[in-house]
């Protein structure tokens, strides 16, 4: 597993283009499904997804896109990346691993 210094570096490794899409939960009612990574699902349940991005991947889905919580929306035919931190620049945020649940 690749190590990253910060969240920005982690995103740049997997994502070539991204567009802020904060209206995503209103457009797609199926975003909360069983295909989401455990940490992303937990963040949704807790109300901790602060931004949504429509993204284009550099390569194929892999371990790194899973760590970011990126998932494919079949209806819209786009990849979606939820962001679960707020108020800090991405270079000041530790890399994330959305494959695991957050512990209380």
């Amino acid at each position: 597993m690749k190590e990253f210094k910060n969240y920005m570096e982690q995103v740049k490794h997997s994502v070539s283009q991204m567009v802020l899409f904060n209206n995503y939960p209103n457009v797609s009612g199926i975003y909360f499904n069983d295909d989401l990574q455990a940490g992303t699902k937990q963040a949704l349940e807790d109300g901790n997804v602060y931004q949504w991005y429509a993204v284009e991947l550099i390569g194929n889905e892999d371990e790194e896109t899973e760590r970011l919580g990126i998932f494919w929306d079949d209806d819209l035919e786009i990849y979606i990346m939820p962001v679960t931190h707020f108020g800090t620049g991405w270079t000041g945020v530790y890399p994330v691993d959305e494959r695991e649940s957050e512990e209380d």
Side-chain angles (χ1 to χ4, degrees), residues 62-76:
D62 60 13
E63 182 179 29
E64 299 308 328
T65 59
E66 288 179 11
R67 287 175 62 191
L68 286 167
I70 295 173
F71 61 93
W72 177 255
D73 184 298
D74 284 326
D75 289 343
L76 299 177

Side-chain angles (χ1 to χ4, degrees), residues 19-37:
V19 175
L20 185 62
F21 189 19
N22 280 339
N23 202 32
Y24 175 68
N26 299 326
V27 173
S28 180
I30 63 163
Y31 71 92
F32 189 70
N33 60 44
D34 291 333
D35 296 334
L36 297 178
Q37 299 300 327

Side-chain angles (χ1 to χ4, degrees), residues 2-14:
K2 184 164 174 54
E3 296 295 321
F4 300 100
K5 291 185 280 188
N6 56 52
Y7 187 71
M8 176 68 83
E9 186 179 284
Q10 185 180 19
V11 170
K12 285 185 174 184
H13 177 79
S14 296

Side-chain angles (χ1 to χ4, degrees), residues 86-99:
F86 180 77
T88 304
W90 289 10
T91 56
V93 175
Y94 290 110
V96 298
D97 191 342
E98 296 295 346
R99 296 175 300 178

